[in-house]
């Protein structure tokens, strides 16, 4: 089959423009190299909120510094008002404020009063596990993480375990961070076109790798060239469908020195090249032996002023035979923004949300019918509201009248990892595409944006120092795998250990001291591999493009003070 192609030569090719690859592109350009990015979904639209470690802020400042040193004021993007476009200042500055902010208004200079991220002012842990068969509550309020006044490249930690084990400092909508990175890359692209400079970056944001064999072509040396095509997107009977744009020609990147595939939890491009992820089994020394690290959750986006708060809760749940399970919940907000209330609640392994068992429909009801689906959704919503009320301390009746922009959505967390990130002499797998763990405390975002992208910077530094491509590539693969393994090791405790990650190791010890339960204590029963529910999956990115609004009011008042009494005490 003969296909007419446009050819591009570049140093770095990013397949997938999430946080991992956009940070990798920025490091690449800051090192004086050229980069091409390919993404089929257009502009960013991931609406979840991230808990962000301080290292990311320091990294943005270092990119700003490196860009200025290499290209000068005339070679970096500017805002519409003529001010230099600073990644770090747009993300956070002591001279601006947090709150509801439109990232495009911030990065253009139209909004001069806001920055994108919010600080975390309140770090709270609620331990509602039963003791000796009775309800028991221990509240732990931890100090606010220290926020730096300015970024400092020397403060970037090279050990990702230390990064993930450390406390989160900022909270931000993922989409806002991604738009910040995307607009800076676009600014470089526009600047080069306007000045006639050789393009340092080229972005193809409605494109995908050609699905036929011409998409990936191996040369005699094993290096891969990539051909991609422009798409059009159509909504066909409620589902998004993508087709090759008519009258468009494929574009080929000729064997770039480095190509990184980072396309989310499941990358079909990586699979086409023979990459596979495998479930991670963990032996928690509780008598059950190795089991798949898995947990099921409900996620919802509620218009409640959680504010600059990271609140975690762990509680006991009991099945019909009286066996105890530990379930976890998290509430994440954004400083000064009452329309940001992400609440995620874990589903006990014994719960199945069966409409027939609940008496909502008869046994003969078709499981594909509207009636069955609606009854199932009602069960999910009722459970979600009941559990959200416990972590927010807001009455159930009031929560049912609060506006919800998303959810509750059911999903699974399953730890998975590949054997090696390097699948060709010039192709590596990174981000969630290589491995993933417990992302509720944003470990995946930090592993990719802070860890994997920094490994790409180290690759270019090694090449500049005269290290061979093969050796630098092997070192890159080792760094990516080490970062992912650090994430999996740190997040494994989120499946069974009581203490939450990203509170910091010293803070976790403080919680253990106050609760009287050892840090490495385990649940009595872990049944993740034998649950009745099945067929769940991670949150689907396309969900964020179809918000399901549940009408109601916006709660702008502060959350009620945490009660000293366990919510089950009224039942005793």
């Amino acid at each position: 089959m003969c296909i007419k192609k446009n050819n591009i030569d570049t140093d770095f090719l990013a397949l997938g423009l999430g946080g991992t690859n956009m940070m990798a592109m920025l490091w690449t350009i800051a090192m004086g190299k050229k980069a091409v990015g390919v993404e089929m979904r257009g502009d960013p639209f991931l609406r979840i909120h991230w808990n962000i470690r301080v290292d990311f802020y320091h990294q943005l400042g270092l990119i700003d510094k490196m860009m200025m040193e290499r290209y000068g004021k005339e070679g970096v993007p500017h805002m519409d008002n003529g001010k230099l476009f600073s990644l770090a200042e747009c993300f956070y500055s002591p001279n601006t404020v947090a709150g509801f902010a439109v990232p495009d208004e911030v990065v253009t200079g139209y909004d001069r009063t806001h920055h994108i991220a919010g600080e975390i002012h309140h770090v709270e842990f609620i331990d509602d596990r039963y003791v000796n068969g009775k309800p028991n509550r221990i509240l732990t309020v931890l100090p606010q993480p220290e926020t730096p006044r300015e970024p400092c490249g020397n403060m970037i930690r090279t050990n990702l375990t230390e990064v993930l084990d450390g406390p989160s400092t900022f909270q931000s909508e993922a989409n806002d961070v991604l738009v910040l990175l995307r607009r800076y890359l676009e600014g470089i692209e526009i600047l080069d076109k306007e000045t006639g400079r050789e393009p340092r970056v080229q972005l193809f944001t409605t494109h995908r790798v050609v699905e036929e064999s011409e998409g990936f072509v191996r040369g005699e040396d094993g290096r891969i060239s990539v051909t991609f095509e422009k798409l059009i997107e159509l909504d066909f009977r409620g589902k998004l469908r993508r087709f090759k744009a008519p009258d468009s020609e494929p574009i080929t990147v000729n064997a770039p020195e480095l190509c990184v595939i980072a396309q989310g939890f499941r990358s079909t491009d990586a699979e086409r090249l023979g990459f596979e992820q495998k479930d991670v089994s963990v032996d928690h020394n509780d008598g059950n032996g190795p089991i798949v690290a898995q947990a099921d959750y409900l996620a919802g986006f509620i218009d409640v002023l959680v504010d600059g708060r990271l609140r975690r809760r762990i509680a006991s749940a009991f099945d019909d035979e009286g066996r105890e399970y530990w379930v976890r919940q998290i509430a994440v907000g954004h400083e000064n923004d009452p329309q940001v209330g992400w609440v995620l609640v874990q589903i006990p392994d014994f719960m199945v949300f069966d409409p027939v068992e609940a008496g909502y429909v008869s046994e003969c009801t078709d499981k594909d019918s509207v009636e069955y689906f609606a009854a199932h959704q009602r069960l999910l919503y009722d459970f979600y509201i009941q559990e959200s009320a416990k972590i927010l301390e807001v009455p159930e009746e009031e929560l049912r009248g609060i506006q919800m922009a998303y959810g509750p959505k059911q999903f699974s967390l399953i730890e998975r990892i590949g054997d090696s990130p390097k699948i060709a002499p010039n192709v590596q797998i990174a981000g969630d595409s290589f491995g993933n763990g417990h992302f509720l405390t944003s470990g995946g975002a930090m592993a990719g944006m802070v860890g994997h992208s920094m490994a790409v910077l180290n690759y270019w530094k090694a090449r500049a120092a005269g290290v061979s491509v093969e050796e630098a590539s092997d070192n890159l693969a080792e760094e990516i795998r080490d970062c992912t393994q650090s994430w999996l090791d740190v997040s494994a405790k989120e499946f069974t250990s009581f203490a939450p990650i990203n509170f910091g190791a010293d803070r976790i010890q403080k919680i253990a001291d106050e609760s009287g339960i050892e840090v490495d204590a385990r649940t009595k029963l872990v049944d993740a591999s034998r649950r009745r529910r099945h067929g769940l999956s991670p949150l689907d990115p396309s969900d964020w493009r179809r918000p399901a609004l549940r009408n109601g009011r916006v709660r702008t008042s502060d959350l009620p003070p945490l009660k000293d009494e366990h919510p089950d005490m009224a039942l005793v």
Side-chain angles (χ1 to χ4, degrees):
M1 180 178 179
C2 181
I3 300 178
K4 184 179 179 181
K5 305 174 184 176
N6 297 311
N7 294 292
I8 296 176
D9 292 314
T10 192
D11 301 301
F12 179 68
L13 173 62
L15 296 182
L17 289 179
T20 299
N21 257 344
M22 285 198 285
M23 284 293 288
M25 291 180 72
L26 289 168
W27 290 123
T28 298
I29 297 163
M31 286 294 295
K33 300 294 183 178
K34 296 181 294 183
V36 171
V38 179
E39 169 63 59
M40 70 177 180
R41 296 183 178 91
D43 248 26
F45 54 85
L46 188 60
R47 305 308 296 268
I48 61 175
H49 252 67
W50 283 336
N51 293 299
I52 299 174
R53 282 37 163 207
V54 71
D55 305 80
F56 180 69
Y57 174 57
H58 292 316
Q59 285 187 341
L60 294 180
L62 182 55
I63 292 172
D64 286 333
K65 182 175 181 289
M66 291 173 64
M67 290 291 293
M68 280 292 295
E69 290 176 348
R70 182 171 295 276
Y71 301 110
K73 290 184 178 180
E74 301 306 315
V76 299
H78 287 63
M79 297 178 170
D80 291 350
N81 59 13
K83 183 181 177 181
L84 287 176
F85 186 163
S86 167
L87 289 164
E89 285 188 15
C90 288
F91 179 77
Y92 168 78
S93 170
N95 301 318
T96 48
V97 298
F100 175 76
V102 178
D104 276 322
E105 295 179 358
V106 174
V107 302
T108 59
Y110 178 82
D111 182 347
R112 303 184 185 186
T113 61
H114 288 93
H115 49 254
I116 287 173
E119 294 180 69
I120 297 179
H121 295 288
H122 310 282
V123 184
E124 303 158 344
F125 184 67
I126 307 170
D127 188 346
D128 275 347
R129 290 170 296 168
Y130 276 49
V131 175
N132 297 324
K134 296 181 179 180
N136 187 70
R137 165 165 286 197
I138 296 176
L139 303 177
T140 305
V141 178
L142 301 174
Q144 176 184 348
E146 183 178 351
T147 304
R149 302 294 293 176
E150 60 184 17
C152 177
N154 294 330
M155 297 298 291
I156 300 171
R157 291 168 287 189
T158 57
N159 185 319
L160 190 68
T161 298
E162 294 180 4
V163 174
L164 297 177
D165 258 337
S168 298
T169 304
F170 303 102
Q171 291 171 327
S172 178
E173 185 175 289
N175 187 69
D176 291 356
V177 175
L178 298 177
V179 168
L180 169 65
L181 303 181
R182 181 71 65 85
R183 297 297 180 258
Y184 194 92
L185 288 167
E186 291 171 346
I188 298 172
E189 185 177 31
I190 293 170
L191 179 62
D192 291 347
K193 288 180 180 179
E194 292 177 345
T195 59
R197 180 198 296 263
E198 182 180 8
R200 291 169 287 177
V201 58
Q202 297 179 71
L203 300 175
F204 300 89
T205 57
T206 55
H207 295 69
R208 72 178 173 198
V209 177
V210 172
E211 294 182 337
E212 291 80 14
S213 58
E214 290 82 3
F216 293 107
V217 177
R218 293 182 185 266
E220 294 182 359
D221 58 358
R223 297 171 63 81
I224 290 179
S225 296
V226 182
T227 298
F228 52 92
E229 61 189 5
K230 184 174 178 58
L231 302 173
I232 57 172
E233 186 176 81
L234 301 174
D235 191 329
F236 179 71
R237 295 179 178 176
K239 293 186 178 181
L240 294 176
R241 304 292 186 186
R242 298 181 178 92
F243 306 92
K244 179 181 180 299
D247 302 323
S248 64
E249 297 178 352
I251 302 168
T252 296
V253 175
N254 300 308
E257 178 173 329
L258 177 62
C259 171
V260 171
I261 300 176
Q263 299 171 319
F265 175 74
R266 181 174 180 266
S267 168
T268 55
D269 285 340
E271 291 174 357
R272 289 170 62 186
L273 293 172
F275 177 77
E276 293 182 359
Q277 283 187 339
K278 300 176 182 177
D279 290 346
V280 175
S281 294
V282 179
D283 191 339
H284 296 290
N285 301 315
D286 55 7
N288 290 296
I291 61 169
V292 174
Q294 178 177 341
D296 299 340
Y297 280 81
L298 287 173
F301 192 41
I302 310 177
D303 285 4
V304 170
L305 180 60
V306 178
D307 210 3
R309 174 177 275 102
L310 173 58
R311 179 180 289 180
R312 302 292 303 273
R313 178 176 182 264
I314 186 169
S316 298
F318 299 90
D319 63 17
D320 292 339
E321 298 180 13
R323 292 178 296 186
E324 181 181 9
Y325 296 73
W326 290 354
V327 292
R328 296 153 183 82
Q329 298 155 1
I330 182 171
V332 175
H334 188 104
E335 184 183 8
N336 300 330
D337 192 342
Q339 291 188 284
V340 177
W342 273 105
V343 180
L344 297 97
V345 301
Q346 186 176 356
I347 305 169
D349 288 343
F350 57 84
M351 293 194 70
V352 293
F353 303 109
D354 187 335
V356 176
E357 287 186 5
Y360 288 171
V361 297
S362 66
E363 293 184 0
C364 60
T365 304
D366 186 350
K367 290 186 177 182
D368 293 327
S369 68
V370 174
E371 292 80 8
Y372 191 95
F373 178 79
H376 177 71
Q377 291 298 305
R378 176 184 171 185
L379 288 169
L380 292 179
Y381 178 72
D382 287 346
F383 174 79
Y384 178 79
I385 290 296
Q386 292 165 9
E387 297 305 303
S388 295
K390 294 174 184 176
I391 187 171
L392 295 175
E393 300 273 7
V394 175
E396 285 185 40
E397 304 77 34
E398 183 176 354
L399 277 184
R400 292 180 185 277
I402 299 295
Q403 181 167 282
M404 288 186 65
Y406 178 85
K409 180 74 174 182
Q410 189 173 348
F411 68 100
S412 285
L413 297 173
I414 307 174
E415 286 201 352
R416 310 195 77 198
I417 191 173
D419 290 330
S420 172
K422 187 174 179 178
I423 57 173
N426 66 330
V427 180
Q428 307 254 0
I429 312 298
D432 288 352
S433 295
F434 176 65
N436 54 86
H438 204 294
F439 70 79
L440 291 192
T441 47
S442 308
M446 295 301 97
M449 293 195 300
V450 173
H452 295 176
S453 77
M454 200 76 173
V456 172
L457 171 63
N458 292 336
Y459 173 90
W460 294 120
K461 285 184 174 180
R463 293 287 293 122
V467 176
S468 69
V469 171
E470 182 178 4
E471 182 179 352
S473 180
D474 287 343
N475 292 339
L476 171 61
E478 184 177 356
E479 281 195 59
I480 291 174
R481 181 171 178 80
D482 286 348
C483 285
T484 298
Q485 192 61 56
S486 293
W487 175 25
L488 297 184
D489 291 344
V490 170
S491 69
K493 70 185 68 170
E494 287 281 358
F495 291 95
T496 52
S497 178
F498 91 90
I501 65 172
N502 90 318
F503 273 28
D506 56 336
R507 296 171 177 220
I508 288 174
Q509 188 59 54
K510 174 177 168 60
I511 293 171
D513 292 341
E514 294 192 13
S515 68
I517 302 176
E518 295 180 4
V519 171
D520 59 354
R522 306 293 179 184
T523 59
K524 294 180 180 177
L525 181 68
V526 179
D527 197 28
S529 63
R530 296 178 291 276
R531 67 188 66 238
R532 287 176 61 189
R533 295 186 312 277
H534 59 86
L536 303 181
S537 62
L539 289 174
D540 185 349
S542 65
D543 288 342
W544 313 117
R545 303 183 68 177
R546 294 189 180 88
L549 183 65
R550 189 184 293 268
N551 292 337
R553 62 185 286 264
V554 177
R555 192 181 195 280
T556 60
S557 54
D558 292 336
L559 292 182
L562 288 170
K563 299 184 179 71
D564 293 329
E565 186 177 274
H566 193 290
D568 289 350
M569 286 299 293
L571 305 177
V572 177

